[in-house]
Amino acid sequence: MLPILALLAFWGSLIIILFTYAGYPMWVVAWGRLFPNPVRKRPHSPRVTAILAVRNAPESAVAKVENLLSLDYPAENLDILVACDGCTDHTADALRQIASRRVRVVEFPHRRGKAACLADLVPMATGEVLLMVDVRQRLEPDALTRLAANFADPDVGAVSGELCFVDEQGGFAAKVGAYWRYEKMIRHAEARSGSVVGVTGALYAIRRDLYVPLPPGTVLDDVLTPMNVVRDGYRVVFEAGAVAWDTPSTTSAQERLRKVRTLAGNYQAVAFAPWLVVPFQNPLWFRFVSHKLLRLMVPWLLCLLAASSVFLAFSHPLYLACLLAGVGAIALLVAANWLPALSDWVPVRLLSTFFHMNVYAGQALVAYVRNPRLHLW
């Protein structure tokens, strides 16, 4: 009985891991090429309200609002709403110094988080389209113009922009950049054949009448919001030309803080919206499970694969080879910490990226179990 269970554990975990990181991306790319569903884009300038929530970031907030005001978009069709979420510094005063009637600053006395701020600001918006942005990233001048062109297609309910990194050469930043390019490839393929299962939180737009207020404390508005749009029968697409620039994490510790919270947010999203995992209620069920949920399982499947490899190692050379490959991969990562030149080798860089992302995914479950509300900012 034990050998049969070990065989099932080995092959089951291996197949799911391979499908998660290779099979699903290949499937969605092929599907997009075989059954493309192009967006009917054309020049389009609907009235837009940009919405920004900030906390204790006066310099960044002012720079971001000035960036929004400088966008290559008709000024009469763009206004900006900024929520100061329980700020205890001079952020609100700094924003009010901006000489533009297109900017409105709303102060909330208590810290409640981004989701609560958005729920309060959306009813104040005058635009038929909402532009959702974060404070840190800088938008390209034509970013909004490119996003807006997608709304000429009545089937499109939301559009994600593209997050790009500056200075991602070498070190841990290169690993972050490699992972993000892989992620964008999948999103582009999803959009080409239908809808993406998540948008870039730093830059996305949504039709105002499709916005659904999210539960207080929601971490991943960039997952729940587009999934609500799809549930209403609209498409969520990816506009690669609408660029927001950010600086990547330069150390594992920096990336861990960001990534663990984001991955834990997927558990929270399912808890808040159980319909996400119900096939006949979620129109993107297969994509959502394949793209989001299976990645959360991979750390535990890797442990199961390792344990079953140990048990089966001397029953067949294949299992022994798998065990030795795993040990060799770990040894290579350890050696790369001592030999910087080795860490710049592309296979080692990809292996290190895979390792770190799965460590973060494992830690995300622990973080969520400890605190399902996670943290507001």
Side-chain angles (χ1 to χ4, degrees):
M1 187 64 178
L2 282 178
I4 294 177
L5 291 176
L7 285 169
L8 290 174
F10 178 90
W11 288 106
S13 56
L14 180 61
I15 289 171
I16 295 175
I17 292 168
L18 291 176
F19 173 78
T20 301
Y21 282 101
Y24 173 70
M26 288 190 293
W27 174 84
V28 77
V29 168
W31 192 264
R33 291 178 178 176
L34 292 172
F35 306 102
N37 186 8
V39 178
R40 291 165 287 177
K41 294 189 288 186
R42 61 176 175 79
H44 187 51
S45 300
R47 180 156 183 82
V48 175
T49 296
I51 295 183
L52 172 67
V54 300
R55 174 173 169 79
N56 293 350
E59 293 81 9
S60 297
V62 169
K64 185 53 176 273
V65 170
E66 290 176 344
N67 177 219
L68 290 169
L69 290 171
S70 69
L71 293 179
D72 183 16
Y73 196 79
E76 66 275 13
N77 286 349
L78 173 63
D79 66 309
I80 303 166
L81 273 173
V82 185
C84 291
D85 187 32
C87 294
T88 57
D89 60 5
H90 65 286
T91 297
D93 291 335
L95 288 166
R96 290 194 178 99
Q97 296 300 313
I98 298 174
S100 175
R101 295 182 179 180
R102 292 192 285 151
V103 181
R104 287 180 287 169
V105 180
V106 182
E107 285 190 85
F108 297 104
H110 304 292
R111 178 187 180 192
R112 299 177 303 149
K114 182 179 179 180
C117 290
L118 295 183
D120 286 339
L121 289 189
V122 168
M124 303 178 191
T126 60
E128 61 185 278
V129 170
L130 305 175
L131 175 66
M132 303 296 195
V133 293
D134 286 339
V135 70
R136 192 176 67 236
Q137 298 80 13
R138 176 181 59 82
L139 308 187
E140 283 288 327
D142 63 347
L144 179 53
T145 299
R146 288 178 176 271
L147 290 178
N150 290 270
F151 290 106
D153 187 333
D155 293 334
V156 172
V159 188
S160 173
E162 177 181 8
L163 184 65
C164 294
F165 291 118
V166 297
D167 191 23
E168 61 179 56
Q169 301 300 317
F172 197 83
K175 300 170 187 176
V176 175
Y179 174 81
W180 188 236
R181 287 191 294 274
Y182 166 80
E183 175 67 19
K184 288 192 291 188
M185 178 271 294
I186 296 174
R187 292 189 185 190
H188 183 74
E190 288 175 338
R192 185 175 183 180
S193 59
S195 290
V196 295
V197 298
V199 295
T200 300
L203 177 61
Y204 70 97
I206 175 176
R207 296 185 190 274
R208 186 182 60 179
D209 57 358
L210 295 180
Y211 181 82
V212 177
L214 303 177
T218 296
V219 170
L220 295 185
D221 66 287
D222 51 2
V223 170
L224 278 182
T225 293
M227 294 307 295
N228 284 329
V229 170
V230 171
R231 194 185 191 190
D232 284 340
Y234 291 82
R235 291 181 66 186
V236 179
V237 297
F238 178 71
E239 176 56 64
V243 175
W245 289 98
D246 200 355
T247 302
S249 302
T250 56
T251 67
S252 175
Q254 288 179 339
E255 183 66 6
R256 176 187 174 278
L257 290 174
R258 186 191 69 83
K259 200 64 182 177
V260 169
R261 181 173 182 268
T262 300
L263 291 169
N266 287 294
Y267 291 107
Q268 185 198 62
V270 172
F272 283 162
W275 60 268
L276 288 171
V277 295
V278 180
F280 299 105
Q281 293 186 25
N282 183 353
L284 295 183
W285 178 83
F286 177 71
R287 296 187 180 200
F288 180 78
V289 171
S290 300
H291 191 160
K292 296 293 184 181
L293 299 189
L294 290 185
R295 292 189 188 182
L296 299 176
M297 293 176 56
V298 169
W300 316 109
L301 293 173
L302 287 170
C303 294
L304 189 61
L305 182 65
S308 57
S309 296
V310 171
F311 187 86
L312 297 168
F314 298 103
S315 65
H316 191 281
L318 173 65
Y319 305 113
L320 179 59
C322 184
L323 177 61
L324 293 176
V327 173
I330 294 173
L332 196 58
L333 290 174
V334 172
N337 286 330
W338 295 95
L339 300 171
L342 185 61
S343 64
D344 291 333
W345 188 33
V346 173
V348 176
R349 183 185 301 171
L350 295 176
L351 182 61
S352 179
T353 302
F354 178 80
F355 171 79
H356 280 97
M357 294 306 164
N358 281 288
V359 169
Y360 302 150
Q363 293 173 335
L365 177 59
V366 177
Y368 178 71
V369 170
R370 286 180 174 177
N371 178 21
R373 285 183 58 82
L374 303 174
H375 57 274
L376 297 177
W377 291 94

